[in-house]
Amino acid sequence: MSLKLKKGVNNQSAYNLRDPNLDYEAAHTLSIIVDNESGVLARVIGLFSGRGYNIDSLTVAEVDPNGHRSRITIVTTGTPKVVNQIKAQLNRMVPVHEVTDLTLKGKAVQRELAIFKVVGNGNQRVESLRLADVFRAKVVDSTLKSFTFELTGNSEKIDAFAELMTPLGLKEIARTGIVALLRGDNSS
Amino acid sequence: MTQANKITGAEIVIKALIDQGVDTVFGYPGGAILPIYDELFQQKKIKHILVRHEQAATHAAEGYARSTGKIGVVFVTSGPGATNSVTGLTDALMDSVPIVVISGQVPTFMIGNDAFQEADTVGITRPCTKHNWLVKDTNKLAEIIHKAFEVAGSGRPGPVLVDVPKDVQFASGRYTKKNEIKTDFIKKEPSIDVKMLDEAINRLELAERPIIYSGGGVINSGQSAVNLLRNLVAGTNFPVTSTLMGLGSYPASGKNWLGMLGMHGTYEANMSMHDCDFMLCIGARFDDRITGRIDAFSPNSYKVHIDIDPSSINKNITVEAPLIGDVSKILSMLTARWKERGSKVNKKKLSAWWKSINNWKGVQSLGYENSSSVIKPQYAVQRLEELTKSYNRFVSTEVGQHQMWAAQFMGFEEPNRWMTSGGLGTMGYGFPASIGIQIAHPTSLVINVAGEASWLMNMQELGTAVQYRLPVKQFILNNERLGMVRQWQELLHGERYSHSWSDALPDFVKLAEAYGIKGIRCEDPARLDDSIREMIDYPGPVIFDCLVEKHENCFPMIPSGKAHNEMILGEQTEENSISDDGAVLV
C-alpha cells in the first residue's frame, strides 16, 4: 500500500515526519550561557573552526555581571547529526553551563539591530526617509546630505531594508547579528 | 589576612601538587619556571625526572598515568618549552589520558610584547587540552591547580595546562586547600535512561549473533569496570573484541577473546562485527580505524553504545541505544537488571554463531610465512611475547607496523599493561612512555616495542634512562624502512617509495655503548631467543637492534574505504584492493 499524500498537506501529516538522521541542513539558533572569563569566546569559536562547523551569526555580551555569565547566541547550519554534535561538543567545555537549541525548543524571538548610513540628495533623500518610516527605522544621526538609520527586527526585515536603501545611496551597514530568547514564560 | 599567612606562587604550586598526592613530575627547567624549580629543589616529597626534550616529558607522564591510573604531571618553561609539549597534549587528548602540564610564562606585564621565550601558550594549547588556564593572580593559583586536576581526571580524562607567569610565581598569595574549592564546574553525568537500558537488555537476551566491542573507556573506568566486563562475557558467553586502546580489559587468554578489531584486526573480530545482529560497544568511539567504510559498517546490528562522553554518541556511527555515563556504573546497572530478569541469552542461536566464528578463526588471519634465514618481524614479536609473558611486564610501542604486530601477537591479561599512541599515532611516543612506566613500576619488566624510525624521534631520552638507571628495554624491529609508509606506498602509490627508507642509521650497539648501556644486535632467527633472554636478564637499559625482513607487510588489513568483510589477508589477495575513493583516505 502506498501513501497518497501530497507533500505538506498539513503540519501534523505523517508525510512531514522526517528521519532525524536524514541528510538535510537547517539553520539552528543556539543560546549558550558561559563563564565570562578571558578566552571563552576564542574557545567557542575555535571549536567551530577546528571541527569545520558553520557560524552564520554570532553575538556575545555579559548578561549576569554578578555571576560573571555571558550569553552567546550562535546561528549555525548543519544536518541534525552535525547540530547534535555541535551541542554535545559545546556542553563538554568547562566554561559552558547551558546550551539551548532555540530552533528545536519552540518559538523564539529573534532580533537583530542594524545601523545604515544613506547618503543622497533631493528625492532620493526624501524617499529614504519615507521608507525608513514604513520600516519604523529611527534616524539617529543626520547631515544635510545623509541619514543614519537604526533598525531593529528579524534578519529578513534588515535584509529587505538594506535592499531598498541600496539604490537610494546606502554607504555602510553595521549589524549586530542575532540575539534570541524563547517565547513564553519559560527560561531557556 | 596577614602577610604571614601568604606564601609565594612557586610554593603554592608545590604545595598544591603535594596536596593532590603527586609524587613524580617530568620536566625541563627554563627561565620562566625557575621560581618553581627553586621550590622543587628545597623539598623532598616530589621526585623530578629531568627529560631531554619537553615532548618526552609529556609522553613519559602519559606512560606514568596510563600504567598507574594516576594523573601525570609535567613542568615546562615558557615559549619553546610549552610549544614542545603540544604533541604530548594532543596525544593525551585523543587517547583520554589525564595529565597536568604546568608551564612557566613571561611576567604578566610583558605578555603580548613578544618577550624572550614568549608564546601564546593558552592560545596554542586551547584546542589540544580539555581546558587550560592563564593564572594572573597568585591568590587564585592554588584553586586553579586543584581545578586542573579535577578536570583532567573527571569524566572522560584528558590533558590540561596551567600557564603561570613568572611574577605570579614570585608574588605572595593565599593558599586554598584541595577540599575548599567550589566544584560547580564539574559536568554532571546525565541520569541513565532506564527505558533505553531495558530495551538494550531485551535485545541482548534475544541476540542471535551478538558481539561485545570494548575500548579504552573500560580501562579508564577502572578495575571494577574491567571485572564487570569479564563477568558479563562469562555470564553471556558472548564473543568479545577490543580496540587498540582497550587491550587487556578482557584477558587475551580468555576463551571468548577474538583479538583486536579494526584495520589490522583479526578476521574473526572484523567478520563478527560485520555480521552481528547485536553490538554492545563499551567505552569505545567508532574510530575510523575501527569502522572501515562507514556506510557498510555492521549493517544489520542493533547497536548499544556505553560512553561517558555525550559527544561520542552518533558522531561516526548512529546507534540505537546510547547509554551515557561511566562504564562501571552503567555496566553494573545493566548486569544487575539482566540478572534480575533471569540471565537469559539466546543459547541455541548463540552456539550457531560461535560455529561461524570458529570457522573464521580457522582462516588464521595472523598467519605469516616464517623464514630460517631472516627474522620475520612477526616472529620476533611472537618470541618476545613467549619469553616475557610470565614476567610482571609492561609494554609500550612506537607507531607503525611494529605497533600493529605487537597488538596482534602480544597478549595482555590485565589492563594498564599496554601503552600505545592510538588516536594521534605519535611516532616517538614509546621510548619516553617506557621511561614514565618504569618510574612508576621500578621493579617491573618494561619493554618498548619500536621501529627504528619512530625510535629515533625521541632517542635523546637515552640520557634520561641512564641518569635514573631505568632498565627499560628498547626492542627495535629494524627494517631500515618507515615500514607502514612503505606498505601504503606499495599498495597505493605504485611502489614508488618516496622517502620511506631510514638512511644513515646509527650503529645501535655502539650508540648504546656510547651511553654506557647494553646494545644487542640480532639478525639470526636461531639466535633470537638467546638474545631476547640476554636483554631480559641484563639489569639496565638495553637497545635491542633486531634486524628483520625489510619488505614485510602487516596483514590482515582492511584497505581504506573498504568494509569489514572486504579484508585482505595476505600478499596474494592484495592486488587492486584499494579503489580511487579509498586512496584519498588516510
Side-chain angles (χ1 to χ4, degrees), chain B residues 405-462:
Chain B
W405 282 317
Q408 290 172 343
F409 290 99
M410 300 192 88
F412 296 93
E413 299 298 306
E414 295 301 330
N416 307 101
R417 296 278 169 164
W418 161 252
M419 268 56 61
T420 192
S421 171
L424 194 64
T426 310
M427 291 172 74
Y429 167 89
F431 187 9
S434 71
I435 285 173
I437 299 162
Q438 190 81 74
I439 291 286
H441 308 275
T443 57
S444 301
L445 175 63
V446 179
I447 305 165
N448 175 33
V449 179
E452 86 290 343
S454 281
W455 192 82
L456 289 174
M457 282 204 178
N458 268 320
M459 62 179 273
Q460 78 285 344
E461 295 310 311
L462 277 172

Side-chain angles (χ1 to χ4, degrees), chain A residues 21 35 37-39 42-43 46 51 69 81 84-85 88-97, chain B residues 122 126 129-133 136 151 156 184-185 187 309-318:
Chain A
N21 298 309
D35 284 327
E37 59 183 31
S38 93
R43 280 179 212 285
R51 293 185 183 264
R69 298 281 167 96
K81 192 171 169 175
N84 282 332
Q85 251 310 291
Q89 294 287 356
L90 283 168
N91 264 315
R92 217 152 75 118
M93 304 178 95
V94 173
V96 169
H97 293 277
Chain B
V122 284
R126 206 174 275 135
T129 52
K130 259 183 100 175
H131 196 64
N132 60 14
W133 294 262
K136 287 181 173 165
V151 170
R156 178 175 174 183
D184 56 346
F185 62 93
K187 301 280 175 192
D309 177 3
S311 78
S312 287
I313 306 291
N314 295 338
K315 182 167 66 180
N316 300 330
I317 297 290
T318 306

Side-chain angles (χ1 to χ4, degrees), chain B residues 312-380:
Chain B
S312 287
I313 306 291
N314 295 338
K315 182 167 66 180
N316 300 330
I317 297 290
T318 306
V319 298
E320 280 71 24
L323 299 170
I324 299 166
D326 182 50
V327 167
S328 64
K329 189 170 126 193
I330 292 188
L331 265 192
S332 71
M333 273 184 80
L334 185 143
T335 313
R337 281 187 86 83
W338 174 68
K339 282 186 178 158
E340 236 168 68
R341 292 165 50 147
S343 304
K344 285 177 282 193
V345 289
N346 194 342
K347 269 193 185 144
K348 210 169 134 200
K349 298 282 185 180
L350 196 55
S351 65
W353 176 230
W354 270 109
K355 223 177 222 168
S356 342
I357 291 173
N358 287 329
N359 283 338
W360 292 324
K361 278 189 178 173
V363 169
Q364 301 203 333
S365 58
L366 298 184
Y368 62 93
E369 209 173 300
N370 210 350
S371 158
S372 57
S373 56
V374 60
I375 301 177
K376 288 288 186 136
Q378 300 95 323
Y379 180 69

Side-chain angles (χ1 to χ4, degrees), chain B residues 1 104 116 193 289 445 505 556 566:
Chain B
M1 167 153 315
F116 176 64
D193 186 340
R289 300 288 106 160
L445 175 63
L505 282 173
E566 299 172 299

